[in-house]
Amino acid sequence: MLKLPDNFESYAEARKAGFLRMKDWKEKGGNVVGIFCTFVPEEILRAADAVAAPLCATSEEPIPAAETKLPRNLCPLIKASYGFALTDTCPYFYFSDLIVGETTCDGKRKTFELMNEIKETYVMQLPHSRSEAALESWKGEMIRLKEKLEDFYGIEISEERIKKEIQLRNRERKALLGFLELGKLNPAPISGYELGTRLDGLGFNFDIEDRCAVIEARTKEVYEDWKQNFEGKPNKRPRIIITGCPNSGVRDKIIKTVEELGADVVGFDCCNGTREKVEPVDESMPVYDALAKKYLNINCSVMSPNDSRMRYIEEMLEEYQADGVIEIILQACHTYNIESHYVKETVTNKGKAYLMIETDYSQSDKGQIGTRLEAFLETIEK
């Protein structure tokens, strides 16, 4: 595994530091909106002078509490997120004025009903296709979210302010994508473990300008080191792309293990990877049309059909010079589980290795997963 820098900040450390920043923001009268998904347009939240608090949980700790109201055979991300809300043990949920959810799956949609009993939860009705009618419907959801925030906070949100936030978020997308695309370099200049951890940790820094400065500086540092010490010296370590569900809760169990076994995780086709960042918001279009178009094009498995995701995986296989793909499916995530058929077909048709792992946040299957990963990597001849 590539060495982590001495000043590396773990996900837990970044989350804890974010608590203090959010407390300070609230004490100064700042607005906070809790969100779970990249489909929620942060541009509109920021135009309401609100920061977006990431509420997707990655720990098994609150799951027993959640299971007093939710079924056991449900996605661990949903159970953990609801468990933290139910037990009032997540400062981000506590500090949120309003929760904005979205209908990316039935489990989340129904859990938002229960969450609304704890704190007001507004749900965006996400279409599950990309037809003209769906696009128009999603544009309406953008406008309704703006109106909800105006009513909730007693403010007016101008289109000019949204345009400004679109420009800022596009700059951030470019910076984050540039960091993630370091994985295209051969040999890999940075561990996939660091790539994922740093990006998730940045979500707890609510100053976008600072986020950009931090990640641009690290990108430059890594690239210059690669140019000086590694360019033109490819190694024989298998190059792996991670796809599927959000992987923050299983990063140590899967991604870290892959790299300790002698492979390099070079790319991420997932919610906390490049998926939301590859397409900017079109700054030449009317704001609500532009936001609707951009956010409806996110390659989540909730979309049916989802051919664009398969095309993107094909592009990643080539651009990242990948030898194989590992698809991570969280327990009971039916859309990704079913769509894994098409992902496997896409990957194997390109002559690359494919492995699907279905798991949850517990450590009970860690040994079994390690054995499967070791066997998978042995099939990749370099």
Side-chain angles (χ1 to χ4, degrees), residues 286-300:
V287 293
Y288 298 113
D289 295 273
L291 289 170
K293 176 178 176 291
K294 183 269 179 300
Y295 281 94
L296 199 63
N297 280 344
I298 295 173
N299 286 327
C300 177

Side-chain angles (χ1 to χ4, degrees), residues 128-147:
H128 297 162
S129 70
R130 298 190 176 99
S131 64
E132 287 299 318
L135 184 62
E136 191 63 26
S137 173
W138 192 225
K139 175 185 173 182
E141 287 297 303
M142 298 290 161
I143 296 171
R144 282 186 283 276
L145 174 63
K146 187 267 298 188
E147 292 171 344

Side-chain angles (χ1 to χ4, degrees), residues 26-38:
K26 287 294 291 182
E27 287 175 347
K28 292 177 179 177
N31 301 328
V32 178
V33 176
I35 64 171
F36 294 90
C37 185
T38 56

Side-chain angles (χ1 to χ4, degrees), residues 144-186:
R144 282 186 283 276
L145 174 63
K146 187 267 298 188
E147 292 171 344
K148 172 64 181 179
L149 293 169
E150 288 179 324
D151 179 66
F152 186 84
Y153 286 117
I155 59 174
E156 290 187 10
I157 300 173
S158 69
E159 291 193 15
E160 284 303 312
R161 177 61 190 276
I162 296 175
K163 285 181 182 178
K164 177 182 175 182
E165 297 301 337
I166 285 173
Q167 292 169 353
L168 185 58
R169 287 277 286 127
N170 275 347
R171 186 197 159 198
E172 181 192 26
R173 287 186 182 98
K174 182 178 180 181
L176 297 178
L177 187 62
F179 179 63
L180 286 166
E181 288 185 341
L182 286 170
K184 292 182 178 181
L185 300 175
N186 193 349

Side-chain angles (χ1 to χ4, degrees), residues 6 23 46 50 56 63 101 122 137 153 169 172 209 261 267 288 309 312 342:
D6 293 335
K23 181 175 182 292
R46 291 183 56 83
C56 280
I63 287 178
Y122 177 82
S137 173
Y153 286 117
R169 287 277 286 127
E172 181 192 26
E209 294 281 4
L261 287 170
Y288 298 113
R309 182 182 173 212
Y312 182 60
Y342 295 110

Side-chain angles (χ1 to χ4, degrees), residues 26 66 69 77 94 100 117 121 143 182 199 206 212 233 262-263 327 336 350 368 381:
K26 287 294 291 182
K69 293 196 175 185
L77 186 153
Y94 173 82
V100 176
E117 297 175 358
T121 302
I143 296 171
L182 286 170
L199 256 65
F206 308 108
C212 292
K233 302 175 183 177
E327 182 154 27
Y336 275 105
K350 289 292 183 179
Q368 180 191 48
E381 295 184 3

